[in-house]
Amino acid sequence: MSITLERRYADRLEEFSARHPFLVDLAMVLALMGCSALGGSLTLPGAEPPDQDKTATVLTGVACLVLLKHRTHPRTVVVVAGGCTVAAVTLGYLVTPLLLAPVMAALYWLAALTDRKSTRRYGLTTLVAVTLAAVFSDSMNHVSLLLRTIGPVFWLMLPLAAGKMTQLRRAYLQSVQARAEHAERTREEEARLRVTEERMRIARELHDVVAHHMALANAQAGTAAHLALTSPEQTQKILTDLTGTTSSALRELKAALGLLRHNDQHDAGPGSTELEPAPGLARLPELVAACESAGLEVTVTTEGEPQPLSPGVDLTAFRIVQEALTNVTKHATAEAARVHLEYTGSRLLITVTDDGTGKPETEAPQGRGFGVMGMRERAHSIGGHLCAGPRPQGGFEVSTALPLQPSPLPAEGTTP
């Protein structure tokens, strides 16, 4: 409790000193004048006081008044105060802490406000000058040489040490404040980065969901319109599949948006709606069936022993296949597509090819296609890589290599 009160009063004093520096300096000068006047009247028992009262008053007055400039000219203040003190001691005044008060204050501010080199140069010079004056002063004849030397050295070293400690404390507080400001800026930058990453993740997820299902729905609706008169039964089947496509789109869209409310649903209690699990390669047959209902024949082949995938890799693999088949449906005049899955060691290789002749999304005008870019970002976010481009024999190919367990490797200058 007492420490808290002392700190509170110290903070208030520092705040007042910062707002009214001249008043604080003036009060200090008046107090030092009183100390110097009292110190000039002290003598050793049996010793006669000096007769230079007016001279001593002028010297102590100058030594105190010059302290008003200690904030801007600490070196000059030390020289003037030290010279006045040496002159007063030479006149025969007794060397006491009260007489030395002005030069002690000057040495304190010198150590607190200047660099170490200036403190050594001016501080030690003043200390030596005052000590020599005390050694040869007539007022100290009744004191041993050792005491005449130790006394001034001790009293003048004390403010130098205190001033240096104040300087170190001020530097420490400034470094703490700088670290706190840097940490605050770092937290703000990290928060902005996380918000940006989350926005990109949400945008990528919504693009995969909406673009895929809308492209399938558009293809199914077009096929149904084309076959409405010639093949009513097939048209009916396609319309049934269209209903399933739109329902699936709504479910995935609801799940994607539900992730944004995950915390709210978690706090809502047992009655909250459970989120559907993220899609994976287990839903590949459903994806193939949806594409076939839109008129695209999809063949899926698997090489190697299927191995369990982490949820992130499973979702990434499904989204890449989904987006590749969506691009075939939207941008290529293809009748067939092939999906090849190959498990090799610790990686999963996925290849999606088609025999179409249309322009893929990567060849669309800049700013209009984000499918391949999103696939590449997904693969890279878990430590994989993806290549997409036209095949020499015709059509388009998307190939990616994904680790069975994610190992994020963010690209330089990009956000995963």
Side-chain angles (χ1 to χ4, degrees):
M1 183 66 179
S2 60
I3 296 178
T4 304
L5 290 176
E6 291 177 3
R7 183 173 298 176
R8 182 182 304 173
Y9 287 125
D11 293 341
R12 290 180 179 178
L13 182 60
E14 290 181 2
E15 184 179 355
F16 179 82
S17 176
R19 289 202 308 265
H20 309 285
F22 180 76
L23 295 179
V24 174
D25 295 344
L26 183 61
M28 177 190 68
V29 168
L30 294 177
L32 291 175
M33 281 184 175
C35 292
S36 299
L38 180 59
S41 64
L42 298 177
T43 58
L44 290 174
E48 293 293 331
D51 297 331
Q52 309 290 336
D53 291 340
K54 292 184 178 179
T55 304
T57 301
V58 172
L59 290 174
T60 56
V62 172
C64 293
L65 290 176
V66 76
L67 291 173
L68 292 174
K69 295 294 184 180
H70 74 270
R71 298 180 187 273
T72 56
H73 301 84
R75 299 172 182 83
T76 303
V77 168
V78 167
V79 172
V80 175
C84 293
T85 302
V86 169
V89 173
T90 304
L91 291 175
Y93 286 90
L94 183 64
V95 180
T96 63
L98 294 176
L99 186 68
L100 296 177
V103 71
M104 289 173 64
L107 290 174
Y108 171 81
W109 291 113
L110 175 73
L113 298 178
T114 63
D115 56 88
R116 184 174 299 178
K117 183 178 180 181
S118 297
T119 301
R120 286 199 300 264
R121 179 183 301 175
Y122 289 89
L124 292 179
T125 301
T126 303
L127 187 148
V128 170
V130 174
T131 302
L132 291 176
V135 168
F136 295 103
S137 174
D138 295 337
S139 63
M140 305 290 288
N141 289 334
H142 302 286
V143 182
S144 65
L145 180 62
L146 181 62
L147 292 179
R148 277 185 282 177
T149 304
I150 292 179
V153 170
F154 173 77
W155 290 113
L156 296 182
M157 286 295 294
L158 190 62
L160 288 174
K164 187 55 63 177
M165 291 297 297
T166 300
Q167 188 182 63
L168 294 176
R169 178 178 177 273
R170 187 183 299 117
Y172 170 74
L173 293 177
Q174 289 176 351
S175 66
V176 170
Q177 182 178 2
R179 286 197 299 268
E181 293 175 354
H182 176 71
E184 184 66 24
R185 288 194 302 268
T186 303
R187 282 194 296 268
E188 293 176 358
E189 293 173 359
E190 184 178 356
R192 286 195 296 267
L193 178 61
R194 289 182 177 179
V195 169
T196 302
E197 291 177 347
E198 186 65 13
R199 286 177 177 173
M200 292 183 64
R201 186 188 67 81
I202 294 170
R204 187 166 57 235
E205 194 70 19
L206 291 178
H207 172 271
D208 291 346
V209 173
V210 175
H212 168 70
H213 289 93
M214 291 302 100
L216 284 182
N218 179 70
Q220 289 170 335
T223 305
H226 179 71
L227 299 176
L229 298 179
T230 59
S231 182
E233 293 182 359
Q234 189 175 358
T235 302
Q236 181 65 32
K237 182 180 181 302
I238 292 176
L239 291 178
T240 302
D241 294 337
L242 177 59
T243 303
T245 300
T246 54
S247 298
S248 177
L250 291 175
R251 286 196 307 271
E252 291 200 29
L253 187 59
K254 181 180 178 181
L257 296 178
L259 290 175
L260 305 180
R261 307 188 187 96
H262 180 67
N263 291 334
D264 295 337
Q265 291 183 356
H266 179 72
D267 297 337
S272 60
T273 304
E274 294 293 335
L275 298 178
E276 291 187 359
L281 292 180
R283 293 181 55 179
L284 199 55
E286 177 183 340
L287 176 63
V288 171
C291 292
E292 289 179 346
S293 66
L296 178 66
E297 182 180 352
V298 180
T299 304
V300 179
T301 58
T302 302
E303 182 178 345
E305 183 67 23
Q307 301 181 32
L309 305 176
S310 68
V313 176
D314 201 13
L315 173 63
T316 299
F318 177 80
R319 290 303 189 198
I320 289 176
V321 174
Q322 182 186 58
E323 181 61 29
L325 294 178
T326 300
N327 287 344
V328 174
T329 305
K330 290 193 301 182
H331 302 288
T333 57
E335 297 181 355
R338 289 169 297 280
V339 179
H340 181 70
L341 307 177
E342 182 179 354
Y343 294 87
T344 59
S346 61
R347 303 183 75 81
L348 169 62
L349 307 180
I350 302 176
T351 305
V352 181
T353 58
D354 67 80
D355 56 0
T357 58
K359 289 185 178 181
E361 190 171 354
T362 48
E363 298 179 7
Q366 185 177 1
R368 293 181 57 188
F370 298 98
V372 173
M373 181 176 64
M375 287 190 291
R376 186 172 290 112
E377 288 177 352
R378 279 188 178 277
H380 193 78
S381 67
I382 61 172
H385 64 272
L386 182 140
C387 299
R391 303 166 61 202
Q393 63 271 35
F396 198 78
E397 178 178 282
V398 175
S399 61
T400 181
L402 306 177
L404 300 182
Q405 298 297 326
S407 54
L409 296 171
E412 182 178 356
T414 63
T415 303

